[in-house]
């Protein structure tokens, strides 16, 4: 695949980007301002991104939807952000909901009224959409996956039906009639029916830290935070590296760089990933991804001649 770096919305920003990414059918790309509080929008024609202000701290998960005749972005905000210069956390309540791209109104879903939230915060990380359900991963809080209907909260999954409870269910995708959870702390993908019934789990030696999920035909495209972009065929129990893991050990201060006691942006090179995070697939087969790093990096991989 051919590598392109998207134009940054805030070049040279000292903010630590922790963004998702989405793309619509026309090729317009959406990701988060590294400083939070805004979506950056880049049309397919390119050029500097425009901004949509949103009342969120950290726009971590972004999912595009237009099925109801409206264009909306489903957003997940875990409610904390590492702030320069010392990269200490700013925290507030987490949130998940949809942003109407026409009216710019954000409508949050209600935090589930569950006993787990007496002890753990509500820290949503991703949203996926089924035919009649909205699924929210609380990857950084109670490690639950929640199903919503128009009438409200339906159910919560803790992963225990698989024999192992979730440890950071970070990313979500709907593949056919199934829900796939990137259970990052357990180094696996977990499949459920959209009614919540457990189906199976997928593990692989090269599935180290599955983070973001996108669907490309019958294949899952997976960002692995350790530095790879993967293609997973769940039906065939196969995994291939689209971008392989980097050679060598992680640098001190990864995903950034610790230099003389100061956290700085590391050197990033085309063709090698440092800390891939969000991922989306365009109608033309292009793969878009973000990196979890100071200033952020947004990448488009386009199919090369001869690739299907």
């Amino acid at each position: 695949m051919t590598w392109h770096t998207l134009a940054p919305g805030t070049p040279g920003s000292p903010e630590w980007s922790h963004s998702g990414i989405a793309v619509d059918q026309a090729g317009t790309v959406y990701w988060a301002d590294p400083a939070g509080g805004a979506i950056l929008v880049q049309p397919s024609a390119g050029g500097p991104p425009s901004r949509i202000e949103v009342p969120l701290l950290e726009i971590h998960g972004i999912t595009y939807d237009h099925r109801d005749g409206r264009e909306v972005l489903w957003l997940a905000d875990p409610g904390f952000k590492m702030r320069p210069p010392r990269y200490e956390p700013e925290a507030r309540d987490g949130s998940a909901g949809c942003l109407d791209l026409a009216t710019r109104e954000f409508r949050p879903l209600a935090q589930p009224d569950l006993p787990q939230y007496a002890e753990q915060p509500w820290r949503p990380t991703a949203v996926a959409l089924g035919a009649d359900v909205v699924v929210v991963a609380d990857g950084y809080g109670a490690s639950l996956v929640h199903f919503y209907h128009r009438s409200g909260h339906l159910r919560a999954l803790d992963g225990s039906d698989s024999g192992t409870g979730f440890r950071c269910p970070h990313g979500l995708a709907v593949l056919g009639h199934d829900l796939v959870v990137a259970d990052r702390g357990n180094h696996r993908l977990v499949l459920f029916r959209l009614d919540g019934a457990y189906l199976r789990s997928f593990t692989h030696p090269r599935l180290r830290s599955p983070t973001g999920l996108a669907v490309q035909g019958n294949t899952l495209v997976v960002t692995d935070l350790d530095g790879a972009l993967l293609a997973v065929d769940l039906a065939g129990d196969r995994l291939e590296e689209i971008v392989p893991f980097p050679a060598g050990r992680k640098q001190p201060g990864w995903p950034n760089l610790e230099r003389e006691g100061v956290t700085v942006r590391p050197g990033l090179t085309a063709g090698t990933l440092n800390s891939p995070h969000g991922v989306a697939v365009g109608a033309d087969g292009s793969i878009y991804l973000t990196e979890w790093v100071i200033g952020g990096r947004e990448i488009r991989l386009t199919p090369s001649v001869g690739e299907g």
Side-chain angles (χ1 to χ4, degrees), residues 40-298:
L40 301 177
V41 183
Q42 187 171 64
S44 58
S50 59
R51 291 169 57 87
I52 302 174
E53 303 294 330
V54 291
L56 300 174
L57 177 62
E58 180 75 282
I59 305 160
H60 181 280
I62 307 174
T63 303
Y64 174 80
D65 183 28
H66 72 292
R67 295 172 304 170
D68 291 335
R70 299 174 301 136
E71 288 191 301
V72 305
L73 296 177
W74 287 91
L75 307 177
D77 172 15
F80 70 87
K81 186 161 189 58
M82 308 304 286
R83 292 295 196 193
R86 298 178 62 87
Y87 297 100
E88 295 174 334
E90 175 187 347
R92 63 174 73 162
D93 292 339
S95 183
C98 68
L99 173 71
D100 189 308
L101 288 172
T103 66
R104 307 293 173 91
E105 178 188 2
F106 178 74
R107 294 185 292 276
L109 296 167
Q111 175 182 326
D113 183 15
L114 297 174
Q116 290 92 331
Y117 292 111
E119 300 178 358
Q120 299 288 339
W122 169 232
R123 297 278 188 242
T125 53
V127 179
L129 306 171
D132 58 358
V133 294
V134 175
V135 189
V136 178
D138 177 13
Y140 294 156
S143 278
L144 298 173
V145 171
H146 299 282
F147 290 71
Y148 288 82
H149 191 263
R150 295 182 187 276
S151 59
H153 187 260
L154 286 173
R155 68 182 66 89
L157 304 179
D158 64 5
S160 59
D161 286 354
S162 71
T164 303
F166 292 136
R167 291 178 57 214
C168 188
H170 189 279
L172 300 171
V174 172
L175 180 62
H177 299 291
D178 300 333
L179 173 73
V180 187
V181 179
D183 187 15
R184 192 165 76 187
N186 287 316
H187 322 292
R188 63 178 183 166
L189 305 176
V190 192
L191 279 73
F192 298 87
R193 291 202 313 248
L194 285 172
D195 62 4
Y198 171 69
L199 295 173
R200 58 182 289 247
S201 298
F202 174 85
T203 60
H204 191 280
R206 284 181 287 170
L207 189 66
R208 302 181 190 173
S209 192
T211 294
L213 303 176
V215 175
Q216 188 172 49
N218 295 319
T219 301
L220 272 178
V221 180
V222 183
T223 50
D224 191 297
L225 200 64
D226 276 4
L229 183 66
L230 309 172
V232 177
D233 173 5
L234 290 171
D237 277 336
R238 292 190 296 269
L239 180 150
E240 296 180 358
E241 293 177 327
I242 301 170
V243 179
F245 288 98
R249 297 182 178 181
K250 296 175 182 176
Q251 74 271 13
W254 178 92
N256 298 301
L257 180 64
E258 196 75 19
R259 181 182 294 152
E260 298 179 355
V262 178
T263 301
V264 298
R265 177 183 172 91
L268 302 173
T269 59
T272 301
L273 294 171
N274 179 74
S275 44
H277 189 258
V279 64
V281 173
D284 66 350
S286 293
I287 299 172
Y288 299 81
L289 62 149
T290 61
E291 295 216 68
W292 178 51
V293 68
I294 291 172
R297 181 166 67 154
E298 295 75 42

Side-chain angles (χ1 to χ4, degrees), residues 3-8 42 270 297-300:
W3 187 289
H4 314 266
T5 302
L6 302 184
Q42 187 171 64
R297 181 166 67 154
E298 295 75 42
I299 299 161
R300 179 187 181 191

